[in-house]
Amino acid sequence: FIFCTRLFNVNLPNTLLSLGRESFAYCTSLTHITIPASIREWGIRVFESSALETVIFEEGLEQIGDYCFAGVKLKEIVFPESLKKIGEFAFSYCELVKSITIPEGVTSIGANAFNSCTSLATINLPKSVTDIGTGVIENTAVTTINYGGTVEEYKALINSVDASELLKNEDILVNCTDGTYVYQVSFASGTCGKNVTWELSNNGDNTYKLTLKPTVYGAKTSDYGTPAGATPVPWVKYIT
């Protein structure tokens, strides 16, 4: 039914097991759909760039396919509690969505799932999520994440998933069950010998990255003995 621009209504039976590639893509008059719990397989781009304003996901549905709702006109997304997986680019370019609540039980959010949702400011992220792909909140307005676990659990999550560089964002306030967290990106640098420079960055998880760089061949660091000795290394004061 791709490019069926005069298609206004679609009723999917509760015996339907799969939706094929681009089944209803670019159906620019289709504004409402109910996805039955029976769906087990998704082709890519099923409803891409359609006019969908409302999608009802029936309880029992466990996954949403890649690109399936990319570029539609949704203002709100209500996921079923049964959901386990959100596919790559699934809701990318849904520019009217302002907040998203991902239910407990979801374990995987695909790469770029919410990429370029330019109005998206808040995400409610459950503790059950263990896999987040790259670009998941790229080109969004996200400033708040409400996380269902502790601060330490959130730190462990962002240091283990592919989207860590996006979630390690000092402009995002993370509300956890035991307090709030803001990723701290600190940076210091200096010299530590003849023609040697040093750079120290904070990884945000109580660890640091130290880089020494020679500026010429034969460069040599100073002899400091121990980090806190009589002549301490110059970066020690930045480590807390």
Side-chain angles (χ1 to χ4, degrees), residues 45 47-50 64-74 77 79 86-97 100 110-118 120 134-140:
R45 308 180 190 277
F47 296 99
E48 182 180 25
S49 298
S50 65
I64 296 171
D66 297 348
Y67 293 86
C68 281
F69 298 96
V72 303
K73 301 182 183 298
L74 292 174
I77 303 170
F79 294 113
I86 299 171
E88 296 182 0
F89 290 91
F91 296 93
S92 57
Y93 293 92
C94 290
E95 297 177 346
L96 302 179
V97 175
I100 289 172
N112 300 288
F114 305 106
N115 191 323
S116 298
C117 293
T118 52
L120 180 61
T134 59
V136 68
I137 56 171
E138 188 172 1
N139 299 320
T140 69

Side-chain angles (χ1 to χ4, degrees):
F1 300 96
I2 187 173
F3 290 110
C4 286
T5 58
R6 292 183 176 272
L7 181 64
F8 292 91
N9 296 292
V10 173
N11 293 315
L12 301 176
N14 59 15
T15 55
L16 188 64
L17 297 178
S18 65
L19 287 164
R21 177 187 179 118
E22 299 176 321
S23 298
F24 302 98
Y26 301 94
C27 291
T28 53
S29 297
L30 183 63
T31 59
H32 306 278
I33 196 73
T34 296
I35 307 298
S38 57
I39 298 297
R40 295 291 180 266
E41 296 181 8
W42 295 77
I44 66 170
R45 308 180 190 277
V46 176
F47 296 99
E48 182 180 25
S49 298
S50 65
L52 285 176
E53 298 175 358
T54 303
V55 176
I56 298 174
F57 297 105
E58 290 188 345
E59 283 297 334
L61 187 72
E62 294 189 353
Q63 62 177 319
I64 296 171
D66 297 348
Y67 293 86
C68 281
F69 298 96
V72 303
K73 301 182 183 298
L74 292 174
K75 294 181 179 180
E76 182 181 23
I77 303 170
V78 180
F79 294 113
E81 296 298 320
S82 54
L83 193 65
K84 306 296 183 187
K85 180 181 179 181
I86 299 171
E88 296 182 0
F89 290 91
F91 296 93
S92 57
Y93 293 92
C94 290
E95 297 177 346
L96 302 179
V97 175
K98 295 181 179 180
S99 66
I100 289 172
T101 297
I102 299 169
E104 183 67 36
V106 171
T107 59
S108 177
I109 303 173
N112 300 288
F114 305 106
N115 191 323
S116 298
C117 293
T118 52
S119 298
L120 180 61
T122 302
I123 293 181
N124 298 308
L125 186 69
K127 180 180 175 180
S128 58
V129 171
T130 57
D131 180 30
I132 304 176
T134 59
V136 68
I137 56 171
E138 188 172 1
N139 299 320
T140 69
V142 171
T143 55
T144 303
I145 294 176
N146 299 312
Y147 179 63
T150 66
V151 170
E152 290 304 315
E153 288 170 333
Y154 182 79
K155 289 180 181 180
L157 173 66
I158 64 173
N159 284 307
S160 65
V161 298
D162 290 340
S164 62
E165 294 309 311
L166 291 171
L167 297 177
K168 288 181 177 179
N169 188 328
E170 59 187 342
D171 296 322
I172 296 178
L173 173 67
V174 184
N175 297 308
C176 301
T177 56
D178 61 346
T180 59
Y181 170 73
V182 177
Y183 178 71
Q184 298 295 321
V185 181
S186 62
F187 184 84
S189 62
T191 60
C192 57
K194 185 178 180 180
N195 299 315
V196 180
T197 62
W198 62 269
E199 296 176 354
L200 182 74
S201 58
N202 185 341
N203 294 323
D205 59 354
N206 298 320
T207 65
Y208 296 82
K209 179 182 179 181
L210 175 66
T211 304
L212 302 181
K213 296 180 179 179
T215 58
V216 297
Y217 180 78
K220 183 179 180 181
T221 61
S222 298
D223 186 3
Y224 294 103
T226 61
T231 306
V233 293
W235 52 83
V236 67
K237 63 182 179 181
Y238 298 101
I239 298 176
T240 59

